[in-house]
Amino acid sequence: MDKPIIKTEDLRFSYTTAEGVSPVVLDGVDLDIQEGTFVAVLGHNGSGKSTLAKHMNAILLPSGGKVYVDGMDTADEARLLDVRRTVGMVFQNPDNQIVANVVEEDVAFAPENLGVPPEEIRRRVDDALKAVGMYEFREHAPHLLSGGQKQRIAIAGVIAMQPRCIVLDEPTAMLDPIGRADVVRTIKQLNRERGVTVVLITHHMDEAAQADRLVVMAKGKVVADGSPKQVFSDVEGLRSVGLTVPYTTQLLWELRQAGYDVPLDALSDEECAAALFDLLKQHQQAG
């Protein structure tokens, strides 16, 4: 298998406070993220998922263990710019990332700081805005846009840097359902159509279910790692760390508890409906 674009080895982290070192936030995390994949990291507040995200482009550095980005040690100060060119970050609140009064100027900000030539910046800005479906808003003022639109502008600003990986730390937490759906659709397209590696930090089951791979965190450790179908099939395991499962899985799990033979991995509404249809058909034939 190819070298992972992000690799953590026995990653440990504790915040240092005025009173001394706080409790452990990351407790021996080993994770390989392959280039071109879409990985969701799911967990409660306090599980360590956002702290993990901040290690992926060296906003935070390990208290113990190692983080490698495309083979570069994030603790190597000489490689910091290369690490951040490789992995772009999108945060929860787009207002914290938007710096200009015109959309296209905001998207141009990072490439300008990287010293990209002006004609190349123009091409990148147009390309990034088209990628997130916001090209027609290029001359608008960002503060007049909806939350979902602002977040897509923030994502465009990261795309314009042309990172090979984008880490999104709860990017839909402040959005309404329409804005959330827009942002998730945008990042799926970036992954599918452009091959950008996506790491989505979330506590929304429905968002996590759309990834290729799902990593579940609790108390600073990885407690599950596999496809969403595999992970969500372990209903009891997820409940033991205080997480629920998508409504579809919950319904099928309750039917199984009642003795019906239905698959637990029918995650989407369509798959669940098909499983229920098959169950009804079997009953009619048996009747």
Side-chain angles (χ1 to χ4, degrees), residues 16-268:
T16 305
T17 62
E19 295 78 43
V21 176
S22 69
V24 174
V25 184
L26 295 175
D27 187 8
V29 175
D30 291 304
L31 208 55
D32 283 11
I33 292 174
Q34 300 301 327
E35 187 142 20
T37 54
F38 175 13
V39 180
V41 180
L42 182 68
H44 266 315
N45 288 342
S47 63
K49 62 186 190 301
S50 286
T51 303
L52 175 64
K54 292 184 177 81
H55 277 80
M56 291 180 178
N57 85 334
I59 291 173
L60 295 175
L61 297 175
S63 304
K66 289 287 183 186
V67 179
Y68 297 99
V69 168
D70 195 28
M72 299 177 281
D73 184 342
T74 59
D76 179 355
E77 278 188 36
R79 305 308 300 270
L80 182 62
L81 264 180
D82 292 324
V83 165
R84 291 190 177 164
R85 282 192 177 115
T86 306
V87 179
M89 283 283 290
V90 176
F91 297 97
Q92 193 176 102
N93 186 346
D95 289 331
N96 294 345
Q97 273 186 280
I98 290 173
V99 293
N101 295 323
V102 179
V103 163
E104 61 183 6
E105 288 174 12
D106 188 79
V107 177
F109 181 77
E112 279 171 358
N113 280 355
L114 292 174
V116 176
E119 61 280 5
E120 169 69 4
I121 290 176
R122 177 77 264 166
R123 192 186 64 72
R124 286 196 193 186
V125 168
D126 290 349
D127 184 51
L129 285 169
K130 285 172 184 169
V132 301
M134 291 296 289
Y135 181 70
E136 65 269 32
F137 293 91
R138 62 193 179 280
E139 294 175 359
H140 283 53
H143 69 273
L144 298 177
L145 301 174
S146 71
Q149 289 171 325
K150 284 182 189 174
Q151 195 59 285
R152 280 149 67 198
I153 296 301
I155 294 170
V158 173
I159 295 169
M161 295 166 65
Q162 296 190 338
R164 285 158 52 200
C165 175
I166 297 180
V167 178
L168 303 105
D169 186 9
E170 303 222 33
T172 65
M174 305 180 73
L175 305 181
D176 61 23
I178 293 169
R180 277 180 53 204
D182 278 349
V183 168
V184 173
R185 187 163 50 247
T186 298
I187 57 183
K188 279 176 74 176
Q189 278 177 330
L190 285 177
N191 172 250
R192 302 276 186 271
E193 295 170 14
R194 294 173 176 242
V196 176
T197 309
V198 170
V199 180
L200 173 64
I201 312 294
T202 185
H203 61 265
H204 290 298
M205 302 293 150
D206 54 334
E207 290 176 9
Q210 296 183 59
D212 305 321
R213 175 181 168 201
L214 179 51
V215 174
V216 180
M217 292 192 68
K219 296 180 181 171
K221 293 180 184 286
V222 172
V223 294
D225 183 352
S227 71
K229 289 189 174 188
Q230 288 169 325
V231 172
F232 284 136
S233 293
D234 182 15
V235 176
E236 287 93 340
L238 288 172
R239 280 187 171 171
S240 73
V241 293
L243 290 169
T244 56
V245 293
Y247 296 123
T248 49
T249 309
Q250 181 67 30
L251 172 61
L252 295 168
W253 183 78
E254 286 176 7
L255 284 167
R256 280 181 83 145
Q257 299 306 104
Y260 294 104
D261 181 21
V262 288
L264 265 187
D265 63 357
L267 262 188
S268 72

